[in-house]
């Protein structure tokens, strides 16, 4: 109710509700068209990215605080941080209504963090395989959805490109390599499920992912946390988040080339019967 009554343009209020609570009813057709054309629709609704970001932020803050307090001598800081991340992840997933993307991300994060609690040196590939098995046990028909293949495909590509490659090239170079690899690896899946892929998506995501991860989601979640304590502080942060969203929206509009930016799937070959 508070988000609906904010003194912000209706479009910004709609996106804030979608990000905070998964309530996408207020987003209009033009907003969805722009997100789909630029390949960024996964960013501006509750998705694995946001669930993972919440868990990552809590993990980072808890681990550093645990070390500074000297509690690491009693219990390793990664394990304490993993437990805090699991709790934060579950809280946010429940807040968002436990939608399917949030369910998938929650299972993956709990498996990953649980592996850290049991063994701080857990290897990523076996943990990813265990997460995949857990999701299939929870929702066997997930294999029939595009989100399942795109999620695990993206995570697997990022792991392959990241593990054992620290220090090889600058951060910008590694980021560009990951973006190009995601385009090459996920385009066949996008063709299969949606019969087209966005040519502008790599550049749009290169801008939008850090923008949303740093300038939108953290202040939004901080505002939601402060809302029961101080509506003044919460509204100030929500206004700043709205301005940040406005800036991102202008960038996406500048990158929107309409249907010209879409790469249709190659036509299927004729059997010649």
């Amino acid at each position: 109710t508070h988000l609906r009554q904010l003194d912000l343009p209706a479009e910004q209020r709609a996106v804030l509700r979608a990000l905070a609570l998964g309530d996408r009813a207020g987003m209009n057709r033009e907003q969805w068209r722009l997100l789909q054309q630029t390949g960024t629709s996964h960013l501006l609704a509750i998705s694995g990215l946001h669930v993972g970001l919440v868990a990552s932020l809590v993990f980072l803050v808890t681990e550093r605080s645990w070390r500074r307090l000297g509690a690491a001598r009693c219990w390793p800081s990664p394990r304490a941080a993993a437990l805090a991340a699991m709790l934060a992840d579950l809280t946010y997933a429940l807040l968002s209504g436990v939608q399917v993307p949030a369910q998938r991300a929650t299972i993956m994060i709990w498996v990953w963090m649980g592996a850290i609690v049991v063994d701080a040196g857990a290897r990523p590939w076996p943990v990813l395989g265990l997460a995949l098995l857990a999701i299939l046990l929870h929702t066997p028909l997930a294999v029939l959805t595009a989100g399942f293949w795109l999620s695990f495909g993206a995570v697997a590509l990022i792991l392959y490109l990241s593990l054992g490659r620290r220090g090889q090239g600058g951060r910008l170079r590694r980021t560009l390599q990951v973006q190009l690899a995601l385009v090459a690896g996920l385009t066949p899946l996008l063709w299969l499920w949606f019969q087209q892929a966005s040519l502008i998506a790599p550049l749009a995501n290169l801008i939008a992912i850090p923008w949303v991860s740093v300038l939108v989601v953290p202040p939004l979640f901080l505002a939601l946390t402060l809302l029961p304590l101080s509506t003044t502080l919460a509204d100030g942060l929500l206004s700043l988040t709205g301005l940040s969203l406005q800036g991102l929206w202008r960038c996406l509009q500048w990158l929107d080339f309409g249907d010209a930016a879409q790469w249709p799937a190659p036509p299927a070959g004729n059997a010649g019967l």
Side-chain angles (χ1 to χ4, degrees), residues 222-235:
L222 182 57
L224 294 178
T225 304
L226 292 174
L227 188 57
L229 305 175
S230 172
T231 55
T232 302
L233 289 176
D235 285 348

Side-chain angles (χ1 to χ4, degrees), residues 41-262:
S41 56
H42 64 101
L43 292 176
L44 297 183
I46 285 182
S47 67
L49 174 67
H50 303 124
V51 176
L53 181 60
V54 170
S56 299
L57 288 173
V58 172
F59 184 95
L60 181 63
V61 171
T62 303
E63 185 180 31
R64 292 188 176 181
S65 302
W66 199 262
R67 287 179 179 176
R68 291 187 177 182
L69 291 172
R73 290 173 294 183
C74 302
W75 208 44
S77 56
R79 293 177 176 176
L83 283 177
M86 293 167 73
L87 179 60
D89 167 72
L90 180 60
T91 302
Y92 179 50
L94 292 172
L95 178 67
S96 69
V98 200
Q99 301 175 39
V100 173
Q103 290 179 22
R104 184 166 53 242
T106 296
I107 291 173
M108 292 180 71
I109 290 169
W110 270 62
V111 170
W112 208 289
M113 294 296 104
I116 293 176
V117 172
V118 174
D119 178 9
R123 292 174 296 169
W125 285 113
V127 172
L128 180 63
L130 185 59
L132 188 149
L133 178 61
I135 287 176
L136 291 181
L137 289 174
H138 177 263
T139 314
L141 295 182
V143 294
L144 302 179
T145 65
F148 174 84
W149 293 97
L150 292 171
S151 296
F152 276 98
V155 172
L157 282 168
I158 292 171
L159 281 180
Y160 175 76
L161 292 169
S162 302
L163 294 178
R165 290 172 170 80
R166 292 184 180 179
Q168 298 184 9
R171 181 175 296 180
L172 178 59
R173 180 181 176 183
R174 293 197 301 271
T175 302
L176 291 174
Q177 287 175 341
V178 169
Q179 283 293 329
L180 292 175
L182 288 174
V183 172
L186 299 183
T187 292
L189 292 175
L190 292 171
W191 279 343
L192 176 65
W193 288 98
F194 307 111
Q195 290 75 55
Q196 64 180 13
S198 174
L199 289 172
I200 204 64
L203 179 57
N205 279 279
L206 195 62
I207 297 171
I209 288 177
W211 194 312
V212 171
S213 300
V214 176
L215 300 177
V216 175
V217 173
L220 174 59
F221 290 151
L222 182 57
L224 294 178
T225 304
L226 292 174
L227 188 57
L229 305 175
S230 172
T231 55
T232 302
L233 289 176
D235 285 348
L237 283 170
L238 289 171
S239 297
L240 289 175
T241 306
L243 288 175
S244 179
L245 280 173
Q246 184 179 6
L248 174 61
W249 213 257
R250 288 179 179 175
C251 289
L252 294 180
Q253 289 174 334
W254 182 76
L255 292 171
D256 179 23
F257 294 98
D259 293 337
Q262 297 303 307

Side-chain angles (χ1 to χ4, degrees), residues 19-41:
L19 279 170
L21 302 170
D23 178 12
R24 295 172 287 183
M27 295 184 65
N28 57 45
R29 184 175 299 178
E30 175 58 25
Q31 287 178 302
W32 281 117
R33 186 202 66 79
L34 178 63
L35 295 174
Q36 290 168 356
Q37 292 285 0
T38 55
T40 54
S41 56

